[in-house]
Structure formats: C-alpha cells, structure tokens
C-alpha cells in the first residue's frame, strides 16, 4: 500500500479541483434567485446514494463532480420564494468562513487557541446585541433546541442547588410555564431533563396569540397550592406559528415576584432587536435569565449556528463544569484559557461555528442585517393587506411580525383544509414557491414565513396569483 497519509500526492490537482468547486458553488449562489425553489432529488441519484461502503477512494476531480452534483438538491431556502417553516436564506460570504474553518480544523471544546478567542468575541457581541450583562455565561450551539436544553438545565440545577447533577431530580416536582404557542423544543427540553413534558404547563393565549398573563398567574398559584414547585417561565419572542411576541416585560415582572427563572425562546424573533421598528416590542427580553436564539434563521448565517446566553454565569458553569484528569485546567500552556467551553454545555468536541458568525457580522454589520429584517416585516404587512383585499383569500391570524397565515376560501368551496394542503403541495412541486402549512384554531393555514433577504414584493405577488390559479384549478377538478 502507498504511504497512508491523507494528504494528497498531487497538491496541484487538489488545488485545481478545489478552485473549480468553489467557482461552481459561487455560481450556484449568484444564481440563487433563478430557477426552481425546491427540486426533488431524481430517483437515479437517490439510488446512487445507496452504494456500499467505499473500499477505495476517488480522484479529486471526480470528488468535486460528486459534490457539485448534490448542490441543486437543497431544501430550496436559498431561493427568494422559499417561505416554509423558519429557514434563513444563507449568504455567499459564508463560504469564505467555511473554507478557513475547514483549514484550521479547530476543536472548540477548550484549550488556549485562536478559535476560542473568536468564540468569546462572538459571545461578547451577543451580550451587547441582546442587552445582556457583559459577564453573562454563553455558548455557541447548533440551534435554539440545544440552547433551550442548556438554559433549562441551568435553571433546573440552580433550583435544586445543583444536587440534581449527581442525584437526579428525585421527587422534586418542578413545573414550568409557556404559552400554547411555544415551540415544541421547550417541551422536549423538559422531557430530556427528566422533568417530563407534562411539567411544562401550556398557558392559554389572548386573541393576538401572546400568553395570557392572568391565566399564567393563576396556574402558578394553583400549582404551588397543590404542592408543586414552579421554577421557570418561558416567554416566546416570535412564535413559530404566527410570529407573536409575548409581553416579555410583564413576564419578567411575574418571574421576579414569583422567584422563577425567566427564559426567552427568541429563535428568530430575538434577532429582530436589530430592526429599528421592531426593537421596542422586545422590551423585557434583556431582563431574562436566559435567552436562546439562532444566527441561521433571520440573520442568515449558513446552517447551523445558534446561541444561548445565561445571565448567572456561575449557575451556567456549575450546571456543566466537569474536568476529568486528562482535561485538567492549567494556568499556562495549551491547556490554559479557562474556563473551557466544555464547562458551559454537554459537548466536548465542538466545531468552529463561531467563525462563520464572526465573519458574517464583520462582513455585513448589524445595521444592514437589521434593515433586511425590517424589509421582511414590511413585506409581511404588504402580503397581509393584499390578502385582505383579494376575494377568495382569508387571513387566519394577524401578521404582526414576519409570518402570514391565510387560506384560499372561495364561496362554496368544500373541504378547505384538504384544498389548502393540496395547494401548498402543488406549489412546492411546481418549483414556483415553497410555503408550508400549520393549523390556526383548528383550521389548516397556508403559512408564509419571511426570513429571506432575497425576497421582493413581486415574489409575493407571484405567490398569490399562483395560489388563486392553483386553487381555482383544484376546485374545478
Ligand atoms: C420559536 C422557535 N423556537 C425554537 C425553534 C427551534 O430552533 P432550531 O431549529 O434552531 O433548533 C424554532 C424553529 O423554527 C422556532 O421557530
């Protein structure tokens, strides 16, 4: 066998193939506005991905072809008419950071090296952006789901004097509170933390889909009277169904008087703090004990990139810190740089996500990122007003941030849920646009989420005209 190093025998060949692939990647991003939104992967390619484990490798030019062949088959979120779920649109500059990160191959579990200092810089910026104290705890993570688990573990452990770390939760009957519109990752965190998802109480919402604070007070009182231990309240800054922002200042007040940990799920909505017209609606978020939010959603850092901030840095550290002998802290040398990131979360080996966030903020600056958010909010208002004035379309929830829920409902149409579901599938399969669906008060809604810096008003006009055309066609067949 040849020398088993993985370095190429032919560096010039690798260079040529890598430059060629970079050009193809940038070509793809430069034409992100063109063509279909979602392109399903052809059956032949799917079968090609059921090959056996390769015993022998392939040449770099063949590898570049294999990689570039995959590029058309993403979810479609780089396209301006991708409106599904809550996906960021990504950004071409991010390719540069990914190249540098791959070349460094840094492991950010800990130690004293450049990447660690970049992550600390990013966390300092996060605190500044979100109005958190500069000495807060924090970690760059995969996304809000992981950030929520980390935040609520710190909340749980602090409430149980950190005995839960070694003894488990035992007979403690902790309860938390989030609105019925809260994201499912909160209940999942309760499940994973051994509290049980039933310990997360669903608090009813008002007509604007924000948490009813009177109901919250009553539920906390009743649980306490029943011998349970209310320990956390979770506010939502931008709910996944309709983009509602809870009364965060009101929640901060309740948390303070009831001695509860106040967590905010700001997956996408928290970053609207960069938008001048939206900022004041997030008042109270800066008083949270912890905040979970994403860079990969409304800030368009390429997947994946999220963040957790925890005001009580000591509690954050005490909830995760662990230094076995082989990871012992040192004051000098490569093992210095304490505390290590591994002391703030569950993962030891960690990639250099912070680099693409750092590069993104350097490249664009917060003003431009905020302006892109503002434009999406204005587009949501525009879309809602066009729906309001179009016969046959019905708005199902107020469009107060970036999400518009509506349906095609011409007079005399039959099963509107089935019809609107079929419209969305037809739109996705046609390649023209990709909204998704949800249910609003039991009714199936076409859900248009605007976290896309490439979307323009003509894209929204085309979406509506296609919905009317497809809806008319499906109703008459
Ligand atoms: C409000 C809200 N919270 C949490 C999440 C989960 O975030 P992630 O997918 O980054 O884990 C989402 C995802 O859309 C969300 O919209």
């Amino acid at each position: 066998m040849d020398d088993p190093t993985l370095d190429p025998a032919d560096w010039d060949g690798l260079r040529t193939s890598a430059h060629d692939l970079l050009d193809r990647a940038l070509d793809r991003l430069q034409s992100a506005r063109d063509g279909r939104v979602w392109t399903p992967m052809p059956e032949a390619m799917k079968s090609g991905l059921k090959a056996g484990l390769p015993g022998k490798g392939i040449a770099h030019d063949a590898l570049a072809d294999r990689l570039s062949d995959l590029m058309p088959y993403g979810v479609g979120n780089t396209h301006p008419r991708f409106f599904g779920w809550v996906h960021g649109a990504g950004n071409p500059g991010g390719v540069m950071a990914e190249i540098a990160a791959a070349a460094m191959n840094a492991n950010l579990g800990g130690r004293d090296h450049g990447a660690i200092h970049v992550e600390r810089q990013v966390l300092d910026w996060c605190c500044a952006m979100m109005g958190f104290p500069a000495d807060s705890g924090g970690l760059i993570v995969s996304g809000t789901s992981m950030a929520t688990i980390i935040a609520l573990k710190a909340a749980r452990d602090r409430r149980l004097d950190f005995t839960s770390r070694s003894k488990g939760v035992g007979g403690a009957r902790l309860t938390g509170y989030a609105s019925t519109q809260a994201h499912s990752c909160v209940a999942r965190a309760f499940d994973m933390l051994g509290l049980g998802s039933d310990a997360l109480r669903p608090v009813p919402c008002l007509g604007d889909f924000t948490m009813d604070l009177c109901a919250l007070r009553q539920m906390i009182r009743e649980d306490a009277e029943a011998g349970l231990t209310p320990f956390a309240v979770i506010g939502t800054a931008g709910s996944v169904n309709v983009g509602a922002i809870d009364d965060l200042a009101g929640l901060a007040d309740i948390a303070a008087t009831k001695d509860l940990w106040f967590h905010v799920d700001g997956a996408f909505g928290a970053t609207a703090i960069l938008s001048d017209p939206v900022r004041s609606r997030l008042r109270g978020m800066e008083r949270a004990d912890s905040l979970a939010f994403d860079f990969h959603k409304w800030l368009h850092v390429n997947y994946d990139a999220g963040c957790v901030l925890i005001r009580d840095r000591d509690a954050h550290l005490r909830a995760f810190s662990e230094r076995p002998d082989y990871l012992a802290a040192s004051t000098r040398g490569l093992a210095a740089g304490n505390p290590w990131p591994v002391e703030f979360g569950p993962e030891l080996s960690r990639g250099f996500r912070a680099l693409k966030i750092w590069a993104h903020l350097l490249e664009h600056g917060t003003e431009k990122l905020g302006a892109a958010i503002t434009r999406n909010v204005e587009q949501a208002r525009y879309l809602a007003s066009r729906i309001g004035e179009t016969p046959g379309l019905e708005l199902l929830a107020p469009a107060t941030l970036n999400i518009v829920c509506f349906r095609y409902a011409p007079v005399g149409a039959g099963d509107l849920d089935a019809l609107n579901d079929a419209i969305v599938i037809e739109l996705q399969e046609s390649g023209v646009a990709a909204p998704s669906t949800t249910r609003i008060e039991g009714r199936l809604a076409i859900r248009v989420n605007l976290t896309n810096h490439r979307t323009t008003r003509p894209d929204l006009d085309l979406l509506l005209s296609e919905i009317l055309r497809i809806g008319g066609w499906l109703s008459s067949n």
Side-chain angles (χ1 to χ4, degrees):
M1 174 173 275
D2 297 337
D3 178 355
T5 177
L6 302 186
D7 290 332
D10 172 15
W11 276 98
D12 286 344
L14 171 61
R15 236 173 243 281
T16 305
S17 299
H19 286 167
D20 176 41
L21 181 64
L22 176 61
D23 277 336
R24 288 193 250 177
L26 293 177
D27 286 348
R28 170 142 198 90
L29 288 166
Q30 196 170 358
S31 57
R33 293 168 192 274
D34 307 333
R36 296 175 57 91
V37 180
W38 172 54
T39 306
M41 184 175 258
E43 289 308 320
M45 276 192 81
K46 288 187 198 165
S47 324
L49 290 170
K50 293 193 174 118
L53 183 65
K56 300 249 183 256
I58 59 173
H60 290 122
D61 53 353
L63 181 61
D65 286 344
R66 295 294 299 273
L67 291 168
S68 125
D69 286 350
L70 285 173
M71 287 196 274
Y73 305 110
V75 73
N77 54 324
T78 52
H79 193 286
R81 286 192 300 280
F82 184 92
F83 305 121
W85 302 277
V86 188
H87 281 42
N91 75 102
V95 172
M96 295 207 293
E98 300 276 29
I99 291 173
M104 286 176 76
N105 190 28
N107 179 346
L108 280 83
R111 293 158 284 268
D112 189 357
H113 53 110
I116 294 285
H117 296 282
V118 172
E119 179 159 348
R120 290 208 183 113
Q121 165 75 95
V122 169
L123 289 169
D124 286 349
W125 284 347
C126 290
C127 288
M129 180 163 46
M130 298 301 175
F132 265 56
D135 60 355
S136 301
L139 197 67
I140 297 302
V141 293
S142 55
T144 290
S145 301
M146 178 55 83
T148 305
I149 293 167
I150 292 173
L152 293 178
K153 176 167 164 25
R156 179 198 75 175
D157 291 348
R158 190 173 78 174
R159 175 50 62 109
L160 298 177
D161 286 329
F162 300 94
T163 56
S164 37
R165 289 203 64 190
S166 53
K167 310 280 180 229
V169 295
R173 295 171 70 198
L174 302 182
T175 53
Y177 306 82
S179 93
T180 49
Q181 292 291 315
H183 192 270
S184 51
C185 75
V186 182
R188 181 138 41 145
F190 272 64
D191 164 12
M192 292 182 71
L193 292 171
L195 303 172
S197 54
D198 288 353
L200 178 68
R201 306 289 203 234
V203 183
C205 285
L206 303 169
D208 62 359
F209 297 86
T210 64
M211 196 193 295
D212 177 346
L213 300 196
C214 291
L216 170 66
R217 281 193 204 88
Q218 189 181 334
M219 289 168 74
I220 295 171
R221 195 166 45 243
E222 285 172 5
D223 279 344
E225 282 166 9
L228 305 174
T229 307
F231 85 109
V233 61
I234 294 96
T236 301
S239 66
V240 71
N241 276 331
V242 304
I245 300 173
D246 286 338
D247 174 357
L248 300 174
L251 286 175
D253 289 341
I254 294 175
T257 45
K258 305 278 181 191
D259 189 24
L260 304 177
W261 180 288
F262 175 32
H263 174 73
V264 173
D265 175 350
F268 61 95
T271 53
I273 201 157
L274 299 182
S275 160
D276 293 335
V278 182
R279 186 170 305 117
S280 62
R281 294 172 54 199
L282 293 165
R283 200 173 56 80
M285 189 168 78
E286 74 291 347
R287 292 168 59 195
D289 290 295
S290 54
L291 171 64
F293 69 97
D294 285 324
F295 285 94
H296 55 218
K297 291 190 165 75
W298 223 348
L299 292 183
H300 310 296
V301 170
N302 293 340
Y303 280 86
D304 51 23
C307 178
V308 60
L309 294 180
I310 298 185
R311 177 178 303 272
D312 181 346
R313 186 171 191 266
D314 184 52
H316 189 182
L317 196 55
R318 287 182 71 190
F320 287 98
S321 184
E322 204 168 66
R323 297 295 287 262
D325 290 346
Y326 89 105
L327 297 175
S330 160
T331 51
R332 288 175 46 216
L334 187 47
N338 296 293
W340 287 9
V342 66
E343 296 178 83
F344 294 98
E347 292 176 322
L348 174 56
S349 292
R350 304 173 63 244
F352 199 1
R353 289 190 184 102
L355 185 63
K356 58 191 174 183
I357 302 172
W358 181 74
H360 188 66
L361 290 168
L362 281 181
E363 180 186 353
H364 299 293
T366 54
E367 289 173 18
K368 189 169 182 190
L369 295 172
I373 290 173
T374 302
R375 184 164 77 150
N376 284 153
V377 174
E378 287 165 359
Q379 287 169 339
R381 208 173 303 136
Y382 168 76
L383 183 62
S385 79
R386 283 230 37 214
I387 290 164
E389 69 200 19
T390 306
L393 295 180
E394 181 189 2
L395 202 59
L396 293 180
T400 53
L401 194 62
N402 63 322
I403 298 177
V404 187
C405 289
F406 63 106
R407 63 181 179 173
Y408 176 70
V411 179
D415 182 347
L416 288 179
D417 285 0
L419 177 58
N420 281 276
D421 202 27
I423 291 172
V424 167
I425 291 172
E426 184 62 31
L427 272 171
Q428 293 169 351
E429 291 184 344
S430 71
V432 170
S436 56
T437 62
T438 191
R439 284 195 175 269
I440 302 292
E441 285 157 352
R443 296 180 295 184
L444 188 126
I446 301 176
R447 179 177 164 286
V448 172
N449 164 78
L450 292 155
T451 47
N452 193 322
H453 60 88
R454 297 192 179 98
T455 303
T456 59
R457 286 191 182 195
D459 289 313
L460 300 174
D461 294 339
L462 179 60
L463 170 74
L464 290 190
S465 64
E466 281 297 291
I467 287 174
L468 292 169
R469 186 186 66 75
I470 296 169
W473 172 71
L474 287 173
S475 312
S476 61
N477 280 290

